[in-house]
Amino acid sequence: MPNVRVLRDIKARHGVNANEILRRAYLYVARNQTLPAQVRFQAQLQLNTFGRYTRPTTVKNRCIETGKGRGIINEFGLCRYQFRLKALANELPGVHKASW
């Protein structure tokens, strides 16, 4: 069962993907200095109507097992500790303990 934080992150990722093109268009209009101020202001108001989970800054890499937000190994989506446990149990393909 995924952690609540992981579920929230998944929801944020879906929201960002669904609204990315429209948000970028409004951002472009709002930041374009050559357009009239009224048009830029309307674009800014439209940006403010988007929900919380449509902003790219709400997406955070989290461990898919524990929900921790720090020490994430991106290739596997696991925190360092879970990565170590799964690697030692041979649950990760191509990963084994190094010895030299």
Side-chain angles (χ1 to χ4, degrees):
M1 179 69 186
N3 192 327
V4 172
R5 292 184 185 117
V6 174
L7 293 175
R8 186 181 310 138
D9 187 57
I10 291 170
K11 180 180 177 182
R13 287 176 191 272
H14 287 300
V16 168
N17 287 338
N19 296 301
E20 180 181 10
I21 295 171
L22 195 56
R23 278 187 62 85
R24 285 183 186 257
Y26 282 134
L27 275 173
Y28 176 77
V29 171
R31 293 177 179 170
N32 191 348
Q33 297 286 327
T34 61
L35 294 174
Q38 185 65 27
V39 173
R40 294 175 55 216
F41 181 70
Q42 290 297 324
Q44 188 64 43
L45 289 178
Q46 290 296 322
L47 278 172
N48 291 340
T49 61
F50 282 108
R52 170 190 289 167
Y53 295 123
T54 60
R55 294 184 212 125
T57 55
T58 59
V59 174
K60 181 169 178 61
N61 290 334
R62 292 199 167 271
C63 176
I64 57 175
E65 293 287 325
T66 61
K68 287 176 65 173
R70 298 182 64 149
I72 305 301
I73 300 171
N74 288 334
E75 188 175 341
F76 299 97
L78 297 170
C79 62
R80 294 173 296 157
Y81 183 66
Q82 291 296 320
F83 177 80
R84 182 176 187 274
L85 290 179
K86 289 187 178 287
L88 291 176
N90 291 327
E91 295 176 10
L92 298 176
V95 177
H96 53 83
K97 189 171 193 288
S99 61
W100 61 90

